[in-house]
Amino acid sequence: MANRRGVPPYTARGRVEGEDWQAVADALNARMAALRIGQQALATASGVSVATIRQLQHGAQRRRVQNATLTAVASALDWPHDHLIRVLLQDQDQERDAAEQAPPGSDSASAGTDHQILAVLLRIEQRLTDLAERIVPGVGRAGEQANDNGPDPAK
């Protein structure tokens, strides 16, 4: 059952639009190769099953992997705890567009970083709107029209 916007409810199974599991697999495999660590050693260090490590390495998600799992694996690989989550949600096309659209003479790295931050904030805002819509139908749309100027004096 979808909400009024046509967004299906979150379930523990299946893919979510905007997630790049292949990017997670690529990052994980590269790090494991660089550290010369195998599946069993990573599973032991992270407290995650070998089957889940294998699933992450292949990027084929038949079931959702929880953020806590990604955090445990990232920490076991000496990455910041949210590294794999950021890789999962990162939109490569937006980064490339930001670098290409940077004005001549500007610091394109800074412009790309600003664009990345804006993209993340927009995704967070959209997710919050979707959650509000699931909790109380109609709230998501009201939230889009709201402003930060306080109550409407005309009411």
Side-chain angles (χ1 to χ4, degrees), residues 29-109:
N29 289 324
R31 185 67 166 189
M32 287 176 68
L35 295 176
R36 300 177 55 85
I37 186 172
Q39 290 176 342
Q40 183 62 54
L42 181 55
T44 301
S46 65
V48 173
S49 72
V50 174
T52 300
I53 298 294
R54 187 176 304 117
Q55 180 183 4
L56 288 172
Q57 284 186 288
H58 287 48
Q61 294 307 114
R62 281 177 247 126
R63 64 178 180 88
R64 287 210 23 95
V65 174
Q66 299 298 316
N67 287 352
T69 302
L70 294 174
T71 298
V73 171
S75 295
L77 292 170
D78 293 324
W79 273 330
H81 69 278
D82 64 340
H83 181 76
L84 288 175
I85 296 169
R86 286 186 286 120
V87 169
L88 176 66
L89 300 176
Q90 189 173 22
D91 186 351
Q92 300 295 334
D93 292 337
Q94 286 182 352
E95 289 178 22
R96 186 172 43 253
D97 291 346
E100 291 172 357
Q101 293 174 5
S106 72
D107 181 9
S108 62

